[in-house]
Amino acid sequence: MLKVGIVGLPNAGKSTLFNALTGLSVPAERYPFCTIKPNTAIVNIPDERLDKLANLFPYAKRTYETLEFIDIAGLVEGAHKGEGLGNQFLSDIRGVDAIVHIVRLFDAPEVPHPLASLDPVRDAKIIENELVASDVEILARNIEKLRTRILRGDKSPAKELEALEKTLTLLESGNFAPETFAEEELALIRKYQILSLKPVIYVANLDEKGLDLSQNEYYINLERYAKSLSRALVSIPAKLESELKRLTPEEEAEFRQALGLSSGLERLILACYQILNLVTFYTFVGKKEVRAWALPRGSSLLEAARMIHTDIAEGFVKGEVININDFLRYSSEEKAKEHGAFRVEGKEYIVKDGDVVTIRFRM
């Protein structure tokens, strides 16, 4: 299951956002380090295409793809040196697939800012610098280990050492860019769980006074900074979203309409899904279950089969594939087959976003 870590300075609103995302009620107090051990929860990824597909099978179970969100305690300046339990918290981040970096854009005297002033870009840079500094320490330590092995006559880690040294040099100079690395190099450094390799989404945590983004200088400045790093930015009034989750769906819809407020939570979940470079394919089992699956872009039909079940992959014979829009147009499997809309594909076929897949296999 894909994991997304929520990070930020203390009192930025991490636990409030986590509560809004999950409908849970973890502590969200007005003091630093309210969260010590990370809280985790699994949320469904909204999927209108799955809903439409499921409507063709009224009694079928709907199984959405999911993300696991992890609420990681607030980082402070010096975290990579152990400040504020920083080493523990940085360790919690390393196992995630993507990072949601929440930045405070609201001024509230009753919720003290750890630096006693509001400056979203400064705050974002503090967290960024701590993540990079932590990576630098880990790389330097492992580079020394690899150099020692080579000096003792073991030449096998030579390429790995070269990749780590290149990464360290670029991180220290502020020029690290994963897209400039060959896939072979990335494979060598991924096992060290380098934080700088993980995709990042910024969340601008607003209050109700800051919802007009065109007039919000804090948001405009943070947006400019995010664009300079080619990173996505999602605006969310986390406290308001958390409060809306306590209402009935009807009350929530009425409130959102009155405020002209779309669901920032859905936008964030979809942004996480997109930044992980995934495609969605669908399966249906008779009329019992309709399911969405997340697959890394560029994966083969055999890899999709393996995701469903290893036995299906081992006994793979062929795949029957149709785009979901064509399936919906014909409104049933039978009619789609009558019109020859299904294609027979082999195990090397690259699965496309929106494919509806049936795998034929031998036991």
Side-chain angles (χ1 to χ4, degrees), residues 158-175:
K159 286 188 176 180
E160 188 171 330
L161 174 61
E162 184 179 345
L164 294 191
E165 288 177 332
K166 175 182 176 181
T167 304
L168 179 60
T169 299
L170 291 173
L171 280 174
E172 290 180 326
S173 65
N175 296 314

Side-chain angles (χ1 to χ4, degrees), residues 6 14-26 40-44 69 238 241-247 252 265 269:
I6 304 173
K14 296 177 303 302
S15 293
T16 303
L17 176 64
F18 181 83
N19 289 340
L21 282 165
T22 64
L24 301 178
S25 296
V26 304
T40 64
I42 296 169
V43 301
N44 287 335
F69 280 93
E241 290 278 4
S242 184
E243 291 169 349
L244 289 176
K245 283 297 178 183
R246 301 172 190 169
L247 305 177
E252 180 182 348
L265 302 178
I269 292 169

Side-chain angles (χ1 to χ4, degrees), residues 125-163:
K125 287 180 177 178
I126 288 173
I127 299 298
E128 300 290 341
N129 290 340
E130 289 305 317
L131 300 185
V132 170
S134 177
D135 283 345
V136 166
E137 284 194 358
I138 284 178
L139 287 168
R141 189 163 59 245
N142 283 285
I143 283 171
E144 286 306 310
K145 291 179 181 178
L146 294 179
R147 285 174 177 168
T148 300
R149 285 175 57 187
I150 291 173
L151 287 172
R152 290 175 177 172
D154 180 3
K155 304 300 182 184
S156 61
K159 286 188 176 180
E160 188 171 330
L161 174 61
E162 184 179 345

Side-chain angles (χ1 to χ4, degrees), residues 324-362:
I324 192 167
N325 292 327
D326 292 333
F327 194 101
L328 293 172
R329 185 170 72 250
Y330 291 116
S331 75
S332 74
E333 181 183 12
E334 293 76 14
K335 289 182 180 178
K337 286 186 173 179
E338 285 176 10
H339 288 82
F342 276 88
R343 309 184 311 277
V344 175
E345 302 287 359
K347 60 178 68 175
E348 301 300 324
Y349 169 76
I350 301 301
V351 177
K352 298 178 178 60
D353 186 63
D355 278 347
V356 180
V357 172
T358 302
I359 306 293
R360 303 299 178 187
F361 64 101
R362 299 187 187 93

Side-chain angles (χ1 to χ4, degrees), residues 296-312:
R297 190 175 299 277
S299 297
S300 69
L301 192 56
L302 182 63
E303 290 169 308
R306 185 173 292 112
M307 177 173 285
I308 298 168
H309 199 286
T310 53
D311 288 347
I312 294 177

Side-chain angles (χ1 to χ4, degrees), residues 6-17 27-36 71-76 89 101-120 122-123 127 203-207 236 238-239:
I6 304 173
V7 304
L9 288 175
N11 287 350
K14 296 177 303 302
S15 293
T16 303
L17 176 64
E29 304 297 341
R30 298 167 181 173
Y31 54 82
F33 312 121
C34 169
T35 302
I36 300 297
D71 175 23
I72 294 163
L75 296 169
V76 297
F89 301 158
H101 181 170
I102 185 166
V103 184
R104 176 173 173 168
L105 270 70
F106 63 90
D107 198 5
E110 70 277 12
V111 184
H113 191 291
L115 299 178
S117 64
L118 191 60
D119 185 339
R122 174 204 62 195
D123 295 351
I127 299 298
V203 168
N205 186 11
L206 314 162
D207 58 11
I236 298 179
K239 185 173 183 290

Side-chain angles (χ1 to χ4, degrees), residues 58 81 122 186 206 234 294 320 353:
K81 299 177 182 177
R122 174 204 62 195
L186 290 174
L206 314 162
V234 178
E320 296 173 359
D353 186 63

